[in-house]
């Protein structure tokens, strides 16, 4: 049975750093990821939204590619996309621009694998069928 204490701040766990070896740019590289909070996810989503009004109807669109890129940047601990020396080495300024430059040296499948790992680390890998099975047990 659940109690109110189950929802005290002391009962919430801090997210752990996840290490994962990924092939990027033709070589296997050890990377580190830390999940972002739901509040940070909201902030990123809002920054990727475009609001338009068509015939008096408000339409909100999210640029999924921009969202994934920002999610990768915010979730990745190593390498640190915000590191100025790393950006200088790639000849860019800004974390998202660094990721874009690195994408130029990656295979499309390598970038897709990176995006998938970041989404899994942040809990986006939960399948509704898996949840249904978990509830049954």
């Amino acid at each position: 049975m659940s109690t109110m204490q189950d929802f005290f701040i002391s009962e919430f766990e801090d997210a752990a750093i996840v290490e994962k070896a990924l092939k990027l740019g033709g070589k296997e590289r050890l990377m580190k990821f830390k999940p972002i909070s739901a509040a940070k996810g909201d902030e990123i989503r809002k920054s990727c939204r475009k609001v338009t009004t068509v015939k008096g109807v408000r339409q909100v669109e999210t640029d999924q590619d921009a969202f994934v890129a920002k999610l990768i940047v915010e979730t990745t601990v190593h390498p640190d996309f915000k590191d100025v020396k790393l950006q200088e080495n790639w000849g860019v300024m800004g974390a998202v621009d660094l990721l874009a430059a690195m994408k130029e040296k990656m295979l499309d499948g390598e970038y897709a694998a990176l995006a998938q790992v970041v989404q899994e680390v942040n809990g986006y890998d939960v399948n509704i069928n898996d949840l249904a099975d978990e509830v049954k047990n």
Side-chain angles (χ1 to χ4, degrees), residues 130-137:
D130 294 340
L131 287 176
D133 290 342
E134 192 175 309
V135 169
K136 289 178 189 176
N137 296 329

Side-chain angles (χ1 to χ4, degrees), residues 43-102:
E43 181 183 314
I44 294 170
R45 255 184 301 286
K46 286 177 185 175
S47 74
C48 297
R49 284 188 185 145
K50 179 182 175 186
V51 179
T52 57
T53 304
V54 178
K55 297 183 180 180
V57 177
R58 183 174 177 247
Q59 296 180 339
V60 179
E61 295 177 32
T62 301
D63 182 341
Q64 284 301 114
D65 293 334
F67 174 73
V68 169
K70 288 181 179 185
L71 187 65
I72 290 171
V73 165
E74 290 299 325
T75 301
T76 307
V77 175
H78 178 77
D80 181 2
F81 289 102
K82 297 175 184 175
D83 185 85
V84 175
K85 288 184 182 180
L86 188 56
Q87 292 173 14
E88 287 172 353
N89 179 266
W90 282 83
V92 297
M93 288 181 60
V96 174
D97 290 339
L98 174 58
L99 178 61
M102 287 181 170

Side-chain angles (χ1 to χ4, degrees), residues 6 15 34 48 50 56 73 100 104 109 114 117 133:
D6 289 342
K34 185 171 183 179
C48 297
K50 179 182 175 186
V73 165
E104 293 290 329
L114 172 60
V117 166
D133 290 342

